[in-house]
Each structure stands twice: as structure tokens, then as C-alpha cells.
Amino acid sequence: MQQETRRLDAALDKLETHLRQVFSEEDSDVSVAALKEQARFLTDERDQLLADLDAERSRVRRLKAANDEVSGRLEAVMVTLKDMMPAMPS
């Protein structure tokens, strides 16, 4: 998830830099088509980042569920072992 956040920040930085260039140049050679292409690229990148973020969130949920299941099983084994200990001769 941190990697996805870094990618999103980098994409936003690119957009900010590009917009500063566009608005700071009086005789800008940047065409509307180029701006549209940049916007399309950034939109695609954002959509991919959102999809990646959703996938990572899903993965985290699955890992938490697996962790809960394993913890429950380990606890059950510990209880069983404690119950068996008095029955074992010293």
C-alpha cells in the first residue's frame, strides 16, 4: 500500500509540475492535444493506482482472516495440551 501511495504522489507531482509549466509560460508551445493526452495518462494512472489499492486492501483482509484462523487454532491446541498435561506422569 505504501508503494501505491508513493506512485500516486509521484503522479500528482508530475501533474503539478506540468501545470506550473503550462501556466507560467506566456507563449506556451503546449497544445490542447498534449494537455488532453497528459490528462488521459494521469487518469489512467490514477485508475490503475485505485485498482492496485483495492487489491492490496483485499489482500490485507485475507491475511487478517488467515491470521485470526491460525491464532484460533493455536489457542485450541494450547488448551488441549494444557488439559493433557495433568494426565501425563511426571
Side-chain angles (χ1 to χ4, degrees):
M1 201 167 354
Q2 290 175 350
Q3 181 182 9
E4 305 308 324
T5 302
R6 284 191 297 262
R7 284 179 56 197
L8 179 59
D9 287 342
L12 290 173
D13 287 343
K14 284 181 189 178
L15 176 61
E16 184 179 358
T17 300
H18 186 71
L19 289 175
R20 281 189 182 154
Q21 279 181 324
V22 169
F23 292 118
S24 69
E25 298 175 2
E26 289 183 24
D27 295 325
S28 178
D29 292 335
V30 178
S31 69
V32 172
L35 290 174
K36 285 182 180 180
E37 177 61 26
Q38 183 72 15
R40 186 195 60 75
F41 171 78
L42 292 172
T43 299
D44 291 347
E45 181 73 9
R46 183 203 63 207
D47 292 345
Q48 183 61 48
L49 289 170
L50 289 173
D52 292 348
L53 183 59
D54 285 344
E56 286 301 314
R57 285 180 176 162
S58 177
R59 180 176 171 265
V60 166
R61 282 192 298 274
R62 287 192 315 272
L63 288 172
K64 284 182 179 179
N67 184 44
D68 291 344
E69 182 180 341
V70 168
S71 293
R73 288 181 181 185
L74 286 173
E75 194 169 313
V77 167
M78 288 176 21
V79 168
T80 301
L81 289 173
K82 284 181 185 177
D83 290 344
M84 290 175 66
M85 280 213 175
M88 296 176 70
S90 320

